[in-house]
Amino acid sequence: MKAIRRLTVRPVLPDPLRPLSDLARNLRWSWHEGTRDLFRSVDPGCWADAGGDPVRLLGTVPPARLAELAGDGEFLRRLAGAAADLDRYMTGDRWYQDRERSARLPAAVAYFSPEFGITAALPQYSGGLGILAGDHLKAASDLGVPLVGVGLLYRHGYFRQSLSRDGWQQEHYPVLDPGALPLALLEEPDGTPARVALALPGGRELRARIWLAQVGRVPLLLLDSDVEENDLGERGVTDRLYGGGSDHRLLQEMLLGMGGVRAVRAYCRITGHAPPEVFHTNEGHAGFLGVERIAELCDGGLDFDSALEAVRAGTVFTTHTPVPAGIDRFDRDLIARHFGPGAELPGIGAERVLRLGGESYPGGEPGVFNMAVMGLRLAQRANGVSLLHGGVSREMFAGLWPGFDADEVPITSVTNGVHAPTWVAPEVFRLGARAIGAERAEEALTVGGPDRWDSVTDIPDEDLWELRRTLRGQLVAEVRERLRASWRERGAGEAELGWIDGVLDPGVLTIGFARRVPSYKRLTLMLEDRERLTGLLLHPERPVQIVVAGKAHPADDGGKRLVQELVRFADDPRVRHRIVFLPDYGMGMAQKLYPGCDVWLNNPLRPLEACGTSGMKAALNGCLNLSVLDGWWDEWYQPDFGWAIPTADGAASDPERRDAMEAAALYELLEQRVTPPFYERGRSGLPDRWIEMVRRTLSLLGPRVLAGRMVREYVERLYTPAAEAHRAMEPDAARGLAEWKARVRAAWPGVRVGHVEASAATATAELGSTLGLRVRVGLGDLAPDDVEVQAVSGRVDSGDRITGAAALALKPVSGPDLEGRWVYEGPLALDRTGPFGYTVRVLPSHPLLASGADTGLVAVPTDEPAGTAAPLMR
């Protein structure tokens, strides 16, 4: 008989054990080994059955065991110590508070993301975007950054993956009971659940309650539409992560963005938390948060254009997408139905919302509403997630800034990092703690700093090698256990599975490959030449073994075919002891996989990997990277700690030929450069060259790949300037900037760059000499204070395009003449040899602009002005 309703009955803990509940409800336990050890000691068997989830553990421990612990003096002492440690962590000064006190720092930052990977016990993530968001919150907590996370609570999370007998991916969607998760309802002072609501067409409403997950010091607000006040359709809005059609996804993104702002306001009102000065949109899914904030300001008396300027000042937008196909785009008519009279934000109107996301630029689709475009238009500061991805993003979105070269598009980059306490194996941490002490080792993982990682050079070779052997052995045991469970799910009987006891060898070079399975990540590139791969796997002296995991999107049959192809190869009795595919890749598996591998393989199509943080997690455990120069590896690769797979960029436009070339390069690297140093032994009997690469990976890459480094960069380079801009954008300033922009746009057709004269300081153009520039500029109805006239110079290529451009502001010396022209002058230094060129341009200039390209307007020496900002709404 099936239950019609489910709920979770929580245990009543004896009074001496009450602190266990507080420890379980704060997700700091997910990265704090001491707290996990405490829960493990409650009941090791129940802990294993609960999958390392303290909330589930406390719901299954027999009452007799709880009573025993309540009288166990040693356990109570450990419990009191853990509770006191958490209290110090929550209330003590961290990096953010220890910095020189400055009013520049934001009082609070709201961080919006469609998914968060905090722990396997809270399965609200699908892949890298969510794991990155979870690591961002954890690092902010460790550093004391006053962040508030905002997301959705998906009742089915992302799917669970299994395999059919023939290797086809199967999806399962278990129902999650919030009462069984480490969550608490946000309640009003009268004890009723806090609610947010969105108006839907036809007089309907979408209501949601707010669950609170405490991620160390950071509150994470998760909106849940599965409430009785909703109709059946609205109850299912937060059913699955990245599920449903366009209408369903739009409602999810409206609830995340607009409902999320309302949830933040409710949380601050109820708890007294400082209101955010900065709103960070992690990818375009949450872009409607800017529309909601505009509506708030309009309700407070600002007009739309002024409110837009105020919102942009305090908004940061991060794009993770290197290809247009990865961006959420909706039909304009669908957007129009959800805004305006009878729906949301009737005071603003659908047309204004549509203009924010419209692809009104060369190459855009007029009938499409683009969430990333809206995110960029609503944020004064934007970034990609690696140096290479920043450049790709500037190229991809250059149409929003016509008249500017791609390298001047105002999208910077902050390279992702990973939260070391989450991803570093306890054995690695303990080895570091023996070298420099536990406190310094913890600081090295959270705050970072090269000086704390230099001590890796003092760790003896035998200790590093023993660490790697231990971790590899643990992985072998984990793989065998998971592989046996997978084959049982595929219908195999126990009598068929004796071979699994011989799968993998703790002494063999182990390669890991685990990630989502879109086609560009090329899961099956390793199968390009199967005989050559088989030779590598079965080499009599230098064999390799490979552990593979990954999920294809449920709607991606192409990705599922790739999984099936890999699985069928791994099922071959000739090689199945050397290559395995593990289904249901997630955080729990990853935390065993990264440390246990010797080499982490990554072979995407360059430059389609925005960052690719899995290799960072592996590196923190002494695993060496073997990767295409894409994402973060393009930025930080050195031969000292890994290998770069050559790519056929531009040399092979045919995909099959390109894959064949790059696969051949991969095999060559494995045969000639990767396996030899692993198996070669020096005088000490150890693989000296390999150990040295491990040492350099830890000491040189370690401090770079930390999420702590990433969050510090966000604070210093994006959050703090955004907070300052937010404070400067008071109502009068916002109105003034909006009026100024309107006036400049109207007058811009009258801006002209006229005659340019240059006089050399010497007879020949020599390095170190200067050119005296003199240019006549027509400003029309504008004044010199409204513009900046620049000389732009640098090396020129064969097409006379300036590269590595530098801009010099010229000064007005006279004007206007009878024709309204002003004369500008300035010295241009010839500071580079070789082909050199320059030009002159005019940009709008205002103290509240974040960059010269902010308005999208520019005038250059042509018959017509270049660039128009009308479609940009800047």
Side-chain angles (χ1 to χ4, degrees):
M1 185 177 297
K2 188 174 182 180
I4 62 170
R5 197 74 50 84
R6 65 180 294 166
L7 53 89
T8 296
V9 181
R10 295 181 177 177
V12 177
L13 295 173
D15 283 343
L17 301 183
R18 290 292 174 87
L20 282 174
S21 180
D22 295 332
L23 290 171
R25 293 289 162 186
N26 190 312
L27 291 171
R28 186 202 181 209
W29 61 257
S30 68
W31 71 90
H32 190 255
E33 183 66 14
T35 306
R36 290 199 302 275
D37 283 344
L38 177 71
F39 280 112
R40 187 180 294 111
S41 69
V42 168
D43 189 314
C46 288
W47 175 256
D49 292 342
D53 176 355
V55 174
R56 287 178 60 195
L57 167 75
L58 296 180
T60 57
V61 177
R65 174 58 177 162
L66 293 176
E68 179 186 350
L69 290 171
D72 184 334
E74 174 61 20
F75 181 84
L76 294 179
R77 183 191 64 76
R78 291 177 61 201
L79 175 58
D85 179 73
L86 177 62
D87 182 66
R88 286 191 296 270
Y89 177 86
M90 296 291 288
T91 58
D93 283 351
R94 315 294 292 181
W95 170 84
Y96 198 84
Q97 290 74 30
D98 283 344
R99 299 183 68 211
E100 181 180 347
R101 297 292 178 181
S102 170
R104 297 179 63 232
L105 296 173
V109 177
Y111 181 90
F112 286 63
S113 178
E115 50 176 304
F116 286 92
I118 309 294
T119 167
L122 188 62
Q124 301 293 306
Y125 60 92
S126 72
L129 178 69
I131 301 300
L132 180 279
D135 283 5
H136 195 109
L137 264 58
K138 294 173 189 176
S141 173
D142 289 340
L143 296 173
V145 180
L147 211 68
V148 178
V150 185
L152 300 179
L153 180 68
Y154 304 96
R155 284 305 182 95
H156 297 281
Y158 202 50
F159 70 92
R160 303 294 302 273
Q161 179 197 44
S162 63
L163 300 173
S164 68
R165 186 72 189 216
D166 67 351
W168 190 255
Q169 174 178 293
Q170 310 285 307
E171 294 94 29
H172 314 277
Y173 292 91
V175 177
L176 302 175
D177 176 8
L181 299 174
L183 301 171
L185 271 177
L186 180 65
E187 295 181 339
E188 298 286 354
D190 63 3
T192 59
R195 292 280 201 271
V196 298
L198 298 183
L200 300 180
R204 298 173 296 130
E205 275 196 326
L206 169 60
R207 302 174 183 86
R209 56 185 168 180
I210 306 161
W211 293 93
L212 173 63
Q214 194 65 42
V215 186
R217 297 165 68 117
V218 173
L220 170 59
L221 310 178
L222 298 172
L223 280 68
D224 173 18
S225 71
D226 189 12
V227 297
E228 293 183 357
E229 299 93 325
N230 281 333
D231 293 337
L232 186 60
E234 281 72 56
R235 291 188 71 160
V237 166
T238 55
D239 56 355
R240 298 177 181 178
L241 178 58
Y242 303 140
S246 292
D247 191 70
H248 189 78
R249 290 286 294 276
L250 177 59
L251 289 177
Q252 285 188 341
E253 298 187 5
M254 290 177 63
L255 182 60
L256 172 61
M258 300 170 65
V261 172
R262 296 171 192 181
V264 169
R265 302 304 187 205
Y267 176 78
C268 293
R269 171 177 52 80
I270 292 168
T271 66
H273 192 284
E277 293 184 290
V278 176
F279 285 75
H280 185 173
T281 309
N282 190 41
E283 200 41 273
H285 310 281
F288 286 114
L289 72 86
V291 178
E292 172 69 14
R293 293 175 59 218
I294 289 173
E296 288 180 331
L297 294 173
C298 289
D299 289 343
L302 277 183
D303 63 278
F304 181 90
D305 290 338
S306 302
L308 172 61
E309 298 301 337
V311 165
R312 290 187 70 244
T315 303
V316 174
F317 175 72
T318 298
T319 174
H320 296 257
T321 308
V323 288
I327 297 170
D328 273 353
R329 301 159 86 220
F330 298 101
D331 186 275
R332 284 173 56 90
D333 291 341
L334 178 61
I335 300 293
R337 285 201 301 273
H338 283 277
F339 290 94
E344 267 296 338
L345 310 185
I348 289 180
E351 189 53 40
R352 286 189 180 275
V353 175
L354 287 169
R355 289 179 62 198
L356 290 170
E359 295 187 357
S360 49
Y361 47 81
E365 295 185 35
V368 166
F369 185 90
N370 186 311
M371 294 296 291
V373 166
M374 178 173 66
L376 288 166
R377 285 181 175 146
L378 287 172
Q380 198 175 59
R381 289 163 182 83
N383 68 283
V385 292
S386 70
L387 197 63
L388 178 61
H389 180 238
V392 170
S393 299
R394 288 188 288 275
E395 291 277 357
M396 189 164 73
F397 295 110
L400 286 166
W401 288 270
F404 290 89
D405 291 341
D407 59 4
E408 292 188 292
V409 167
I411 300 176
T412 186
S413 63
V414 175
T415 302
N416 283 345
V418 297
H419 184 246
T422 296
W423 301 109
V424 166
E427 293 82 1
V428 177
F429 177 79
R430 286 195 285 269
L431 181 61
R434 288 205 304 270
I436 61 174
E439 186 173 337
R440 286 195 69 206
E442 184 175 344
E443 288 180 356
L445 296 183
T446 54
V447 180
D451 57 316
R452 297 180 179 90
W453 291 79
D454 288 345
S455 58
V456 173
T457 59
D458 299 326
I459 298 175
D461 285 3
E462 53 269 25
D463 289 353
L464 278 177
W465 186 241
E466 184 57 32
L467 170 70
R468 297 301 315 147
R469 286 170 53 86
T470 298
L471 296 174
R472 195 183 314 114
Q474 291 177 356
L475 176 61
V476 169
E478 179 82 7
V479 166
R480 291 174 181 174
E481 181 180 340
R482 288 180 178 272
L483 192 62
R484 187 178 301 276
S486 172
W487 273 96
R488 293 299 300 269
E489 281 190 320
R490 294 173 70 182
E494 193 62 35
E496 301 176 69
L497 302 180
W499 61 274
I500 289 179
D501 292 334
V503 165
L504 303 190
D505 182 332
V508 168
L509 173 64
T510 304
I511 299 173
F513 183 103
R515 50 191 44 88
R516 291 184 303 111
V517 191
S519 59
Y520 79 87
K521 291 182 183 284
R522 297 194 293 185
L523 171 72
T524 57
L525 185 70
M526 66 181 75
L527 304 182
E528 188 73 20
D529 185 337
R530 299 187 182 206
E531 287 307 311
R532 197 166 179 185
L533 175 61
T534 299
L536 282 162
L537 296 171
L538 304 180
H539 195 284
E541 298 172 352
R542 299 195 300 268
V544 301
Q545 57 195 16
I546 307 176
V547 182
V548 184
K551 292 180 177 180
H553 188 280
D556 181 10
D557 282 350
K560 292 181 184 180
R561 281 191 289 272
L562 295 178
V563 170
Q564 186 179 49
E565 185 180 355
L566 194 289
V567 170
R568 287 179 170 174
F569 179 83
D571 285 350
D572 186 335
R574 291 189 305 157
V575 297
R576 64 186 181 183
H577 65 299
R578 286 282 188 258
I579 181 169
V580 297
F581 181 89
L582 300 180
D584 208 31
Y585 178 51
M587 290 188 72
M589 181 192 298
Q591 286 170 320
K592 297 290 186 180
L593 189 55
Y594 297 132
C597 290
D598 300 296
V599 173
W600 196 256
L601 175 62
N602 188 30
N603 46 233
L605 284 172
R606 188 180 189 272
L608 302 185
E609 186 83 275
C611 185
T613 55
S614 62
M616 294 179 170
K617 297 160 194 161
L620 282 172
N621 290 282
C623 177
L624 310 184
N625 275 268
L626 169 61
S627 176
V628 165
L629 288 176
D630 203 2
W632 74 277
W633 193 237
D634 179 78
E635 192 171 337
W636 290 332
Y637 159 72
Q638 291 182 24
D640 289 343
F641 42 70
W643 303 270
I645 302 171
T647 55
D649 300 340
S653 57
D654 175 64
E656 292 185 4
R657 180 166 177 261
R658 177 203 58 219
D659 287 352
M661 293 172 65
E662 295 187 10
L666 170 61
Y667 300 137
E668 181 77 14
L669 277 171
L670 288 169
E671 292 164 348
Q672 302 299 324
R673 296 179 55 194
V674 177
T675 57
F678 183 86
Y679 287 103
E680 290 171 356
R681 295 296 186 266
R683 292 182 179 179
S684 63
L686 300 175
D688 299 332
R689 284 202 295 156
W690 191 273
I691 293 172
E692 185 58 27
M693 293 182 76
V694 170
R695 192 186 306 279
R696 288 179 177 273
T697 292
L698 291 169
S699 62
L700 299 179
L701 271 184
R704 298 184 192 178
V705 302
L706 297 180
R709 184 271 312 154
M710 172 189 72
V711 171
R712 292 201 315 271
E713 284 194 40
Y714 273 108
V715 169
E716 292 163 351
R717 295 176 49 204
L718 295 171
Y719 293 166
T720 298
E724 291 182 307
H726 162 79
R727 294 171 195 144
M729 203 66 70
E730 296 180 347
D732 286 345
R735 291 188 188 95
L737 180 59
E739 291 169 358
W740 177 85
K741 282 189 174 182
R743 180 170 61 82
V744 169
R745 287 192 192 101
W748 202 253
V751 176
R752 294 283 191 279
V753 178
H755 184 61
V756 179
E757 300 174 0
S759 58
T762 61
T764 59
E766 296 178 345
L767 181 66
S769 62
T770 60
L771 294 179
L773 294 185
R774 181 181 177 89
V775 57
R776 289 177 172 80
V777 178
L779 298 183
D781 293 332
L782 300 180
D785 287 346
D786 294 321
V787 301
E788 182 172 284
V789 179
Q790 297 178 340
V792 181
S793 63
R795 295 188 186 277
V796 291
D797 59 21
S798 58
D800 284 339
R801 300 289 299 178
I802 296 174
T803 60
L808 167 72
L810 304 179
K811 302 296 184 182
V813 295
S814 64
D817 61 16
L818 295 177
E819 297 179 6
R821 294 177 302 180
W822 293 76
V823 175
Y824 282 73
E825 292 183 351
L828 177 62
L830 302 181
D831 55 0
R832 309 173 212 196
T833 59
F836 186 86
Y838 65 89
T839 187
V840 176
R841 68 181 179 187
V842 184
L843 303 175
S845 176
H846 190 282
L848 295 179
L849 296 184
S851 75
D854 191 275
T855 63
L857 295 169
V858 59
V860 295
T862 60
D863 293 335
E864 298 295 334
T868 174
L872 292 174
M873 299 181 61
R874 295 192 182 280

